[in-house]
Amino acid sequence: MKHRKIAAGIGIAAVAALALTSCSAGPDAGADAAELETLTIMAPYLSTNAPEDGNQFETAIEDEIGVDLDITWVPNSSYGDKVNITLAGDDLPQVMVIQGKDPGFVRNAEAGAFWDLTEYLEDYENLKTTFPQVQHSSSINGKVYGIFRSRDVMREAVIIRKDWLANLGLEMPTTTDELYEVAKAFTENDPDGNGAADTYGLIIPKWPGTIGTNSPWDAIETWYGAGNRWTERDGELVPNFTTDEWLEAVQFERQLVEDGVVNADYATFDSAKWNEPFLTGKGGIIIDVHSRAGQLMSLLKEQDPEGFQNYVDVTGNLEGPDGELNALPTAGYSGFLAIPKAQVKTKEQLRSVLEVLNQLNSEEVGPLLNNGIEGVTYELEGDLAVGIDSASQVDKDTSAAYAQLGTNVTGFQGYLPKQASEYEQEMYDKRKEIEASDLESAVYDPSAAYVSKTYVSKGAQLDTIVADARIQYIAGQLDLDGLQDAIDLWRSSGGDDVIAEINELADADS
């Protein structure tokens, strides 16, 4: 269906020429938006089959925004390659889902291939974010080249065997010291009452990422006040592992291992099996995202439908030894919607695209992107969404694909899911309350916006130096001098250059 008259003269140019076109077009709040009839988009889909043209979900969205959507759907598994191919060609959409700040996107953005939206988004009520720290983190050296796709900012939690706490007369920990005491009691005081020394406190897997990838170790280090990947000390941004607080934290982590309150195979334990010791009554504490508590409850419900509510409790981030709450956030986003200059050449055309994206993040369209169509994929019970089990798989997959277009930069635009039982709803609500409370104490990575050229070229090698040394120190294979030697090696191998470049970029952005 055709809703609005399209502006004439929207041409296509090769990406190589983008730096030479429209570079002088700056923000102009008084500029009239060129009217759009169709918005072209490239986006990934995660299911087996792409949405069919003219499906009911797309039609419902079009009816709300008054513009037709022409979407090129690409399988998620090949989406990165498709982005690179598209950027190298001359047939670009007006909007592209970009999944992260990979070097190719950074180079193209800084060469002028995408609109710098930094000064534009404030003009649109649904694009003016309520998460400015996340928007800055998603930027490239302080310049916003896309509308970030919001994800839960605060997810860190401590998940504990509720029955073990009750058996030992213990309370949920609120500090790292209390975490140690509970983990020690779970290891030594027979929390399951079977008379055997066959339990331990913390379940920690081999982590697939390096320092600053939200592992349980990273969480503890943030709680100790070391910052989140990077931190500010004496007016300079520095990696958290160069701080005294980080060294104190890893000594605490080493004590956890030496005292046997962590699974002995933490350095090799497969993270895909993380739930198993909790479910089988071998380990009692998991430090991970709070949604894992929901997974565990569902699995325990299968094992014990009558008593599953007795096994799982959850709390949020813990206070460190200084009595402060330093909560570890996620990045808060998963890619962004970027606007190529090859297809959108003028300020007026840019504003017409932004107006459509503004409508896509409205209260009216949000549920269509995040929940689907009422009566097709969900029903409402109060203000909660209940999925319709009998909905076809095609409808479920198609609805899920359109969530890729959601930004939610002013908060989640849709209906939260109703849980299966009163207890599960109570626990879900508790998790959301913890999330909101901890968000007030979030410690954001102050370096997240900045792209160090040295780190781009050497980061993979640099990352392993201290990460490997941390595990070796925790395991007792290195002493503090050896750990410090690894930090010095990081510095001399290019780390000092990374620090200098990050600070130069931060100073230019201030």
Side-chain angles (χ1 to χ4, degrees), residues 213-483:
T213 55
N214 287 42
S215 72
W217 307 123
D218 294 321
I220 291 170
E221 289 149 19
T222 297
W223 297 341
Y224 260 68
N228 174 11
R229 292 191 71 244
W230 286 61
T231 187
E232 184 175 343
R233 292 291 188 273
D234 299 323
E236 182 183 38
L237 298 184
V238 296
N240 66 346
F241 54 77
T242 64
T243 67
D244 292 340
E245 292 89 346
W246 188 84
L247 289 174
E248 292 172 11
V250 295
Q251 290 175 69
F252 172 73
E253 292 162 353
R254 178 167 170 153
Q255 181 185 358
L256 293 172
V257 170
E258 287 178 342
D259 291 352
V261 304
V262 177
N263 51 298
D265 60 347
Y266 65 90
T268 58
F269 181 50
D270 185 353
S271 59
K273 299 178 180 179
W274 203 350
N275 292 336
E276 290 183 11
F278 194 101
L279 297 173
T280 58
K282 297 300 181 184
I285 306 171
I286 290 177
I287 301 173
D288 191 32
V289 295
H290 57 59
S291 58
R292 185 173 293 276
Q295 295 175 15
L296 289 165
M297 280 188 288
S298 295
L299 293 167
L300 287 161
K301 189 176 183 180
E302 294 175 6
Q303 292 182 12
D304 185 2
E306 300 301 320
F308 74 98
Q309 68 274 12
N310 298 319
Y311 300 111
V312 181
D313 206 349
V314 63
T315 190
N317 290 265
L318 304 180
E319 292 181 4
D322 60 358
E324 297 293 325
L325 179 61
N326 296 291
L328 177 63
T330 68
Y333 73 99
S334 178
F336 23 80
L337 304 184
I339 303 173
K341 286 186 177 179
Q343 186 65 275
V344 181
K345 291 192 171 186
T346 68
K347 292 180 293 183
E348 293 78 16
Q349 292 167 4
L350 172 64
R351 287 195 173 277
S352 69
V353 171
L354 289 174
E355 183 54 44
V356 176
L357 297 180
N358 185 60
Q359 291 300 314
L360 281 173
N361 196 47
S362 66
E363 292 181 0
E364 295 76 19
V365 180
L368 290 169
L369 297 179
N370 292 309
N371 302 104
I373 297 176
E374 186 175 1
V376 176
T377 52
Y378 74 98
E379 298 284 5
L380 275 181
E381 289 189 16
D383 58 356
L384 298 175
V386 179
I388 297 177
D389 292 336
S390 60
S392 71
Q393 193 61 47
V394 170
D395 282 343
K396 291 178 182 178
D397 290 346
T398 302
S399 174
Y402 285 91
Q404 296 294 315
L405 308 182
T407 55
N408 298 295
V409 295
T410 58
F412 181 68
Q413 299 291 347
Y415 302 108
L416 294 176
K418 181 178 175 62
Q419 304 304 302
S421 69
E422 183 177 343
Y423 172 71
E424 287 165 285
Q425 187 67 54
E426 177 185 321
M427 289 298 293
Y428 182 84
D429 293 343
K430 179 179 180 179
R431 286 159 43 198
K432 300 305 285 186
E433 289 170 5
I434 291 170
E435 179 182 333
S437 177
D438 280 3
L439 186 59
E440 298 176 7
S441 301
V443 178
Y444 295 93
D445 175 5
S447 75
Y450 308 119
V451 182
S452 156
K453 292 182 179 178
T454 299
Y455 186 79
V456 169
S457 63
K458 295 184 176 180
Q461 294 78 25
L462 287 171
D463 282 345
T464 61
I465 294 174
V466 181
D468 288 350
R470 175 175 68 177
I471 288 297
Q472 291 168 359
Y473 174 76
I474 291 171
Q477 299 168 358
L478 282 181
D479 58 15
L480 273 176
D481 288 339
L483 181 59

